[in-house]
């Protein structure tokens, strides 16, 4: 069993089973942010310029942690505000024209679809693929691809039922057909690893506030280096400009600088960042949470999480309730969804559990869903047993 619970004091006075909504932060991340706030409070550097540069460097130190998480290169990572921010950047980056088509599942969380629905005014069309009994299958998408299809947009784990797609199959499909693969990985990363070298995706969006245990308003966008030349670069800010000789401190002290000139921009995915003063505390907290995940070992966390979901599914089967989440282990995540009947009955159960300080949610999309339980690295077998006992009393 992982020795992770000690890092999460929020898990000690309640049964916290809702990382799929928003996760607890570890003490290490909060302490890292507190150190930054102390620095902001007193400005220990010799000048305000030095202080500003130091803050930028502290934020930039987050990118290598993200790269390790994905087995990616640091120059393939941009630090952004959230999954929503990253998906909006992805939608604007794809070189779409009137008549181009995007393929998406009917199980997706609304934000996965929203950027593309806004492209409809530009003549971009959306093909919606029905789920197959709660599964999102590559073969169903393959049947909907036409000569006008430009991208598949996909959550690697579905938010309402926890179905984990065969990402490798989608990756092969997109490469065979010459189309982009855009992935929302927020319901997977931190619980189940993704290797961006082994399973190539073109663009991947992930916020920090769920399974990465960093609810501080910072996430990231990964863009595969092979996809970058085919994309439209975003509007840039001054920190998207290649650093001048001697650094920004010396540059701003140069009398002859002028604002209107031909600028040279960075060639890395950092170009997709805001390009100005950014969310320093969010990035620093994300880095600390990622370091904890990397130190514990992503595979160790995955085995722990899947072990908890095995225990939960077995217990739910013994209670005779309907398990909505597909059973195959290779398609499972940290989310298990079940139903005790109607939507109203599921909400009643959720409210009863909340009264007992057992935190779960009720979620639906396209009539797929129910009571959603999300077990993470700070949870234990006792948490699962506590939940099952409470469900038994309710029934």
């Amino acid at each position: 069993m992982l020795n992770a619970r000690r890092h999460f004091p929020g898990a000690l006075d309640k049964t916290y089973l809702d990382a799929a909504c928003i996760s607890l932060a570890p003490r290490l991340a909060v302490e890292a942010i507190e150190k930054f706030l102390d620095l902001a409070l007193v400005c220990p550097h010799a000048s305000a310029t030095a202080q500003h540069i130091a803050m930028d460097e502290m934020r930039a130190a987050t990118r290598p942690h993200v790269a390790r998480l994905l087995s990616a290169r640091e120059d393939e990572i941009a630090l952004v505000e959230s999954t929503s921010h990253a998906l909006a950047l992805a939608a604007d980056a794809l070189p779409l024209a009137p008549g181009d088509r995007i393929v998406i599942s009917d199980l997706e969380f609304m934000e996965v679809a929203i950027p593309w629905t806004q492209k409809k005014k530009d003549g971009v069309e959306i093909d919606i693929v029905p789920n197959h009994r709660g599964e999102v299958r590559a073969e169903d998408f393959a049947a909907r691809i036409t000569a006008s299809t430009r991208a598949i947009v996909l959550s690697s784990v579905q938010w309402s039922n926890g179905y984990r797609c065969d990402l490798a199959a989608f990756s092969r499909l997109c490469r065979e057909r010459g189309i982009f693969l855009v992935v929302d990985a927020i319901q997977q990363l931190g619980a189940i690893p993704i290797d961006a070298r082994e399973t190539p995706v073109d663009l991947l969006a992930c916020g920090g506030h769920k399974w990465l245990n960093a609810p501080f308003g910072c996430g990231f966008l990964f863009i595969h280096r092979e996809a970058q030349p085919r994309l439209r670069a975003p509007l840039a800010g001054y920190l998207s400009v290649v650093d001048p000789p001697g650094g920004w401190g010396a540059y701003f002290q140069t009398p002859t600088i002028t604002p209107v000139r031909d600028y040279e921009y960075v060639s890395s995915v950092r170009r997709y960042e805001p390009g100005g003063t950014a969310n320093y505390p969010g990035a620093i907290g994300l880095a600390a949470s990622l370091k904890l995940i990397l130190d514990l070992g992503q595979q160790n966390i995955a085995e722990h999480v899947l072990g908890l979901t095995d225990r939960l599914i077995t217990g739910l089967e013994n209670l005779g309730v309907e398990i909505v989440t597909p059973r195959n282990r290779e398609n499972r995540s940290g989310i298990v969804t079940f139903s005790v009947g109607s939507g109203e009955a599921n909400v009643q159960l959720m409210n009863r559990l909340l009264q007992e300080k057992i935190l779960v949610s009720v979620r639906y999309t396209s009539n797929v869903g129910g009571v959603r339980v999300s077990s993470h690295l700070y949870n234990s077998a006792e948490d699962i047993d506590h939940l099952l006992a409470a469900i038994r009393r309710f029934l």
Side-chain angles (χ1 to χ4, degrees):
M1 181 177 292
L2 289 174
N3 186 24
R5 197 177 182 95
R6 60 191 175 90
H7 296 289
F8 295 88
L12 301 180
D13 66 341
K14 64 183 74 69
T15 304
Y16 198 96
L17 293 165
D18 210 359
C21 179
I22 185 168
S23 187
L24 296 167
R27 190 185 301 277
L28 294 168
V30 174
E31 290 174 349
I33 293 173
E34 287 174 343
K35 289 180 181 178
F36 170 81
L37 295 178
D38 288 341
L39 179 148
L41 183 68
V42 300
C43 185
H45 294 89
S47 69
T49 299
Q51 172 94 337
H52 200 314
I53 291 172
M55 288 176 167
D56 288 335
E57 290 173 348
M58 292 172 71
R59 177 179 177 273
T62 307
R63 291 192 207 99
H65 292 294
V66 177
R68 280 187 60 201
L69 184 81
L70 292 170
S71 299
R73 295 161 51 105
E74 187 179 342
D75 62 7
E76 296 174 309
I77 305 299
L79 299 177
V80 297
E81 181 177 296
S82 61
T83 314
S84 299
H85 185 196
L87 289 171
L89 289 168
D92 283 339
L94 263 61
L96 300 175
D100 287 346
R101 306 183 76 86
I102 303 298
V103 190
I104 192 170
S105 167
D106 69 343
L107 274 190
E108 294 293 349
F109 179 64
M110 59 190 292
E111 180 53 42
V112 181
I114 282 175
W116 314 98
T117 63
Q118 294 179 73
K119 295 293 179 183
K120 292 170 70 175
K121 69 180 187 302
D122 301 322
V124 175
E125 301 174 16
I126 302 174
D127 288 327
I128 304 171
V129 180
N131 70 89
H132 181 82
R133 298 177 182 175
E135 298 182 355
V136 179
R137 308 185 307 178
E139 56 263 38
D140 297 331
F141 277 66
R144 302 294 290 273
I145 293 175
T146 70
S148 300
T149 303
R150 297 292 174 262
I152 289 175
V153 181
L154 177 78
S155 289
S156 60
V157 168
Q158 291 300 323
W159 76 302
S160 63
N161 72 343
Y163 178 80
R164 176 162 54 103
C165 74
D166 184 349
L167 196 57
F170 278 96
S171 177
R172 289 191 299 270
L173 173 62
C174 289
R175 272 152 178 71
E176 289 168 0
R177 304 294 183 92
I179 62 178
F180 289 99
L181 177 58
V182 181
V183 174
D184 175 350
I186 195 171
Q187 293 291 8
Q188 178 167 349
L189 285 172
I192 310 291
I194 294 176
D195 188 320
R197 298 272 77 79
E198 184 178 302
T199 308
V201 302
D202 295 302
L203 300 95
L204 181 147
C206 187
H209 71 285
K210 297 186 186 293
W211 303 86
L212 296 179
N213 312 311
F216 311 119
C218 186
F220 55 85
L221 172 65
F222 161 85
I223 304 179
H224 196 286
R225 61 184 307 196
E226 293 178 3
Q228 294 171 31
R230 297 184 288 147
L231 300 175
R232 293 191 293 223
L235 291 174
Y238 90 94
L239 288 177
S240 307
V241 174
V242 172
D243 288 358
W248 289 109
Y251 177 79
F252 291 137
Q253 296 167 9
T254 304
T256 57
I257 63 172
T258 179
V260 181
R261 63 178 176 85
D262 292 328
Y263 289 100
E264 180 185 359
Y265 298 101
V266 296
S267 59
S268 71
V269 178
R270 179 162 65 87
R271 174 75 183 272
Y272 289 80
E273 296 184 2
T277 302
N279 178 3
Y280 297 126
I284 290 165
L286 175 61
S289 292
L290 288 176
K291 185 177 185 304
L292 176 61
I293 287 170
L294 294 168
D295 287 347
L296 291 170
Q298 292 193 80
Q299 197 55 48
N300 293 334
I301 294 171
E303 291 171 2
H304 176 73
V305 167
L306 291 175
L308 293 176
T309 61
D310 285 339
R311 189 182 189 94
L312 176 56
I313 287 173
T314 298
L316 292 172
E317 288 174 336
N318 292 335
L319 291 174
V321 302
E322 176 192 1
I323 299 173
V324 176
T325 299
R327 308 293 183 85
N328 291 336
R329 212 170 194 260
E330 63 268 23
N331 296 122
R332 289 223 315 274
S333 62
I335 296 172
V336 173
T337 301
F338 67 94
S339 177
V340 294
S342 65
E344 292 79 6
N346 288 328
V347 171
Q348 289 174 3
L349 171 57
M350 178 194 71
N351 288 332
R352 179 74 61 82
L353 295 173
L354 293 177
Q355 290 172 8
E356 298 187 35
K357 299 184 73 173
I358 302 172
L359 276 63
V360 298
S361 294
V362 170
R363 297 289 187 268
Y364 286 96
T365 303
S366 298
N367 296 308
V368 175
V371 181
R372 187 184 67 182
V373 180
S374 38
S375 311
H376 202 10
L377 56 86
Y378 43 70
N379 291 120
S380 64
E382 290 74 22
D383 289 337
I384 301 302
D385 293 344
H386 187 202
L387 168 65
L388 290 168
I391 297 171
R392 183 179 298 108
R393 289 192 298 272
F394 175 84
L395 296 174

